Amino acid sequence: SNIIIKTLKMMLADKLKRYIKDYPDFPKKGIIFKDICPILSDPEVFSELINKMSSREIYQNADAIVAIDARGFIFGSAIANQIKKPLILARKKDKLPGLLIQKDYGLEYGDDSLSLQISSISNFHKFVIVDDLLATGGTAKCIFDLLSSKNKTILGLNVVIELSALEGKKILDFPVLSEVIFS
Ligand code: AMP
């Protein structure tokens, strides 16, 4: 059955590679933008991907999922709905009301800031972060720092795509689970 599972894994990663489209020099020169929209427009592949992500062991011990603005919301909400765990939104500047914790960070193509509602995390201790893509790791590190500042535990990061050449994993002190790796 291990062989069967491995074959299924390869099949999904291969499918994802065929579905993810590259856009060179978007949104800035030198960046190869990985577009996940073709995955979303095929219900079979989208559902296979969400099943795969949701079945990862890391979620079993999680109290909640933190999804990152904006494409992380798509995958995070589908996973949270499937595994029936609370979903928390990490949002860009000036989007969330109420008492917030906020931090600036650098990403592959610019700078930004992420915030969490303090009330959204106060009842939980262990989190899994969900995003569409890991590049330099700056975004995930920002969430790690925000949650750590409130003494929370980060079990890991689950992304659809990992750009391994950028070595984002190196600055992250928690496991990274990616569904397809581009080197
Ligand atoms: P980073 O903080 O450098 O790991 O960048 C990850 C974040 O930026 C994710 O939220 C991605 O949506 C976005 N991102 C960075 N690089 C790319 C890329 N080449 N294609 C698509 N999205 C990207």
Side-chain angles (χ1 to χ4, degrees), residues 122-137:
S122 55
N123 291 331
F124 307 118
H125 188 64
K126 290 178 286 182
F127 299 84
V128 174
I129 306 167
V130 173
D131 204 356
D132 64 326
L133 182 145
L134 172 68
T136 65

Side-chain angles (χ1 to χ4, degrees), residues 20-23 26-27 30-36 68-72 92 105-110 114 130-142 157 159 161 163 166 168-169 171-172:
I20 294 158
K21 203 178 161 205
D22 285 2
Y23 287 89
F26 180 89
I31 300 294
I32 301 171
F33 188 84
K34 300 280 182 191
D35 184 27
I36 50 93
I68 301 179
D69 201 345
R71 288 178 298 271
K92 301 277 170 69
Y105 68 104
L107 80 172
E108 199 191 1
Y109 47 75
L114 282 170
V130 173
D131 204 356
D132 64 326
L133 182 145
L134 172 68
T136 65
T139 306
K141 175 75 164 51
C142 177
L157 166 72
V159 290
I161 304 165
L163 304 183
L166 293 172
K169 270 179 176 174
I171 64 160
L172 304 176

Side-chain angles (χ1 to χ4, degrees), residues 163-178:
L163 304 183
S164 60
L166 293 172
E167 298 184 318
K169 270 179 176 174
K170 278 196 179 167
I171 64 160
L172 304 176
D173 290 328
F174 45 81
V176 175
L177 309 164
S178 28

Side-chain angles (χ1 to χ4, degrees), residues 2-43:
N2 255 343
I3 291 168
I4 295 173
I5 290 167
K6 274 195 181 135
T7 309
L8 288 173
K9 263 188 196 168
M10 275 193 315
M11 283 170 57
L12 178 61
D14 286 345
K15 265 185 221 172
L16 294 175
K17 283 204 168 174
R18 287 205 309 272
Y19 276 72
I20 294 158
K21 203 178 161 205
D22 285 2
Y23 287 89
D25 297 325
F26 180 89
K28 275 189 181 167
K29 207 166 164 47
I31 300 294
I32 301 171
F33 188 84
K34 300 280 182 191
D35 184 27
I36 50 93
C37 290
I39 299 171
L40 308 179
S41 56
D42 185 320

